[in-house]
Amino acid sequence: MTDIGVDMHKLCEKLFPICRSITGDGFRESLRIIKNDLELQGLSFFEVPTGTKCFDWEVPKEWNIRDAYIIDPNDNKICDFKTSNLHVVGYSTPVDKELSLEELQKYLYSLPEQPDAIPYITSYYKERWGFCITQNERDNLQKGTYRVYIDSDLKDGSLTYGELIVPGETEKEIFLSSYLCHPSMANNELSGPVVTAFLAKWILSLESRKYTYRIVIIPETIGSITYLSRNYKKMQEKIVAGFNISCVGDDRAYSYLPSRAGNTLADKVAKHVLKYAQPEFVSYTFLDRGSDERQYCSGGIDLPVCSIMRTKYGCYPEYHTSLDDLSLVTPSGLFGAYEVLKKSIECLESNETLSKTVLCEPQLGKRGLYPTISTKDTHSIVKNMMNFLAYCDGVDSNLEIAEKIDVPLWELEQIINNLKAESLLEVSS
């Protein structure tokens, strides 16, 4: 636990200073670091040119920034991009001019209700420039002339995303998606791509996999729309379950947000795992959506994708501010989310529909699976085995039976393996 959690946090620390956006070199650099540090050699990069039509959207211009700051009337540098990249409105156009304080106020963004926080503000689809500042600092600005400077480019380029396909025994797929387009904020969203990458490393290490895995790291919204526009038909054919991985780094809570349908295999597994592993989890509805599940579950796409999170985006006070830093995301928080998602994948891998090969109850004693002396404790010793067999009729899946008999699926794994070893179970056609 300590090693994986600490390693994930160290990767967050390495990525945290990089200025990322929905396009640009910061996204590419971060994706390269993830690939190289975790040795995900199969992680392929794709570039989609500016202007590419993606359903009702188009890939925007590419944005890159090198520096930005304000010089106040006393020649002090404030809102320094190199101190915090949140000081600049994302996608700001270049500017180098002098303004009065009154004029400057039109281009400043702050949070009166959180006076010590720098807000996270973007303007992807309307060209403008601006600076983000704490309310306390804004309140202390003096009258006079200010110089504003942003050294950025907004021009034709491309949108970048990463894709890793890990083959399994079947072409049916498990889908994992996270996004890497936020600048220096830790929970939303370095935790998501970091946990996703470590899950990918674990999946690659498995000796055998029933399912093929489609794993993507994208920019949020425009990235999922772009990816779907290029892949949705085969995704609809192949994906049996998927998870949108976001806000998985804090220690405060566990959360579940369903697919639009609400009853997909992904939903069933997520609720099953959380019920037994983290029974105090918070359950939301699809009306509370706010990330890429909006695209994956939209009408006409309808992929079986839900979300398992720690504290949900928008539900913690540090969200979309400079307070979402590396103290909010912890090794134990990251590891907790990693374990719940890993267990969900393990449940998907082990889930199948089985039938008994004999009528009535099998004689388990002669196979060494049942105590040969009947006592008042016998029933409790083999309760889970007998209950599983009672419902093992080729209709209900292992997951459905686990729900009926109120036992975590992972606690039935050895029982199922023992019954299979004695040829008492077979996979239903």
Side-chain angles (χ1 to χ4, degrees):
M1 184 280 284
T2 302
D3 289 345
I4 295 175
V6 168
D7 287 347
M8 286 191 285
H9 199 268
K10 285 180 179 177
L11 182 54
C12 287
E13 291 174 347
K14 188 172 185 177
L15 293 167
F16 188 79
I18 300 170
C19 184
R20 288 167 292 274
S21 189
I22 58 173
T23 62
D25 292 333
F27 189 101
R28 296 185 187 98
E29 179 186 359
S30 300
L31 201 57
R32 279 193 296 269
I33 289 171
I34 289 172
K35 176 176 181 175
N36 294 335
D37 281 23
L38 294 183
E39 299 180 346
L40 301 177
Q41 300 311 314
L43 180 62
S44 299
F45 293 16
F46 293 83
E47 300 285 346
V48 185
T50 296
T52 301
K53 189 77 170 174
C54 304
F55 302 136
D56 199 39
W57 296 61
E58 287 186 2
V59 172
K61 292 179 179 179
E62 181 177 327
W63 183 66
N64 287 290
I65 183 168
R66 290 163 292 278
D67 199 5
Y69 52 81
I70 299 174
I71 302 295
D72 74 8
N74 296 317
D75 208 31
N76 298 310
K77 185 182 284 188
I78 62 173
C79 294
D80 188 354
F81 169 79
K82 292 183 177 178
T83 301
S84 172
N85 52 42
L86 293 179
H87 273 308
V88 180
V89 171
Y91 257 60
S92 279
T93 53
V95 64
D96 186 359
K97 65 191 324 185
E98 291 186 343
L99 298 170
S100 68
L101 176 58
E102 183 180 2
E103 292 172 313
L104 176 62
Q105 293 284 8
K106 302 172 189 176
Y107 301 94
L108 297 182
Y109 300 85
S110 59
L111 295 169
E113 67 277 15
Q114 291 179 285
D116 294 319
I118 305 167
Y120 169 52
I121 306 292
T122 62
S123 182
Y124 299 134
Y125 301 105
K126 181 175 175 57
E127 292 192 9
R128 57 162 53 91
W129 63 268
F131 285 88
C132 301
I133 188 171
T134 69
Q135 186 64 43
N136 285 337
E137 190 169 18
R138 186 174 189 173
D139 290 342
N140 289 313
L141 295 177
Q142 300 175 1
K143 289 184 178 181
T145 300
Y146 290 77
R147 182 192 172 200
V148 293
Y149 178 75
I150 298 176
D151 180 13
S152 65
D153 295 321
L154 183 59
K155 59 187 181 182
D156 286 353
S158 59
L159 175 150
T160 310
Y161 67 83
E163 177 193 67
L164 174 64
I165 304 294
V166 185
E169 296 169 7
T170 172
E171 291 187 354
K172 292 296 182 182
E173 294 179 353
I174 305 300
F175 178 53
L176 305 180
S177 176
S178 191
Y179 51 96
L180 187 59
C181 54
H182 288 37
S184 293
M185 293 179 291
N187 200 35
N188 180 238
E189 188 64 50
L190 278 179
S191 64
V194 166
V195 168
T196 301
F198 272 79
L199 286 169
K201 184 176 182 179
W202 165 70
I203 290 165
L204 284 164
S205 74
L206 297 175
E207 292 184 3
S208 63
R209 294 172 292 272
K210 179 165 69 174
Y211 291 109
T212 293
Y213 287 81
R214 180 183 297 268
I215 304 170
V216 298
I217 298 177
I218 55 178
E220 193 177 24
T221 304
I222 185 59
S224 54
I225 291 171
T226 299
Y227 188 79
L228 285 167
S229 73
R230 308 178 86 182
N231 297 282
Y232 81 96
K233 289 185 178 178
K234 59 182 150 184
M235 294 170 75
Q236 288 174 326
E237 293 172 3
K238 295 181 177 182
I239 291 173
V240 298
F243 302 102
N244 184 60
I245 302 175
S246 170
C247 295
V248 285
D250 72 295
D251 270 312
R252 295 170 178 165
Y254 286 84
S255 309
Y256 157 73
L257 192 141
S259 68
R260 188 168 71 100
N263 61 351
T264 70
L265 179 57
D267 292 294
K268 293 173 182 177
V269 165
K271 288 187 286 186
H272 181 80
V273 171
L274 287 167
K275 178 171 71 172
Y276 292 106
Q278 301 294 335
E280 302 300 317
F281 77 95
V282 181
S283 184
Y284 293 93
T285 77
F286 192 66
L287 298 177
D288 300 305
R289 67 195 181 279
S291 184
D292 284 323
E293 69 279 346
R294 295 174 298 154
Q295 316 310 329
Y296 298 135
C297 299
S298 62
I301 300 293
D302 290 313
L303 294 175
V305 173
C306 68
S307 295
I308 295 174
M309 298 167 278
R310 297 300 307 250
T311 306
K312 178 183 171 290
Y313 44 78
C315 295
Y316 58 97
E318 301 88 349
Y319 175 72
H320 274 198
T321 75
S322 57
L323 303 180
D324 186 349
D325 59 22
L326 290 166
S327 66
L328 176 62
V329 166
T330 66
S332 60
L334 293 162
F335 181 75
Y338 170 86
E339 279 291 284
V340 167
L341 285 158
K342 178 171 173 278
K343 199 169 288 292
S344 298
I345 292 169
E346 289 171 336
C347 285
L348 287 166
E349 284 282 331
S350 65
N351 191 41
E352 56 188 346
T353 302
L354 300 169
S355 299
K356 298 198 309 290
T357 58
V358 298
L359 297 176
C360 295
E361 292 180 345
Q363 220 288 9
L364 299 175
K366 68 182 181 182
R367 297 175 171 89
L369 299 176
Y370 199 100
T372 54
I373 297 177
S374 179
T375 70
K376 65 178 182 180
D377 296 324
T378 299
H379 180 70
S380 61
I381 293 171
V382 295
K383 177 183 176 182
N384 289 346
M385 187 188 312
M386 300 308 296
N387 283 343
F388 180 81
L389 283 168
Y391 287 100
C392 199
D393 57 2
V395 176
D396 291 331
S397 70
N398 294 351
L399 178 65
E400 290 167 325
I401 295 174
E403 281 288 307
K404 285 184 176 181
I405 67 176
D406 195 21
V407 177
L409 180 54
W410 51 92
E411 291 187 9
L412 295 174
E413 182 179 2
Q414 190 57 54
I415 290 172
I416 295 168
N417 289 338
N418 290 342
L419 293 170
K420 283 182 175 180
E422 295 296 329
S423 301
L424 290 174
L425 297 175
E426 62 183 7
V427 177
S428 297
S429 56

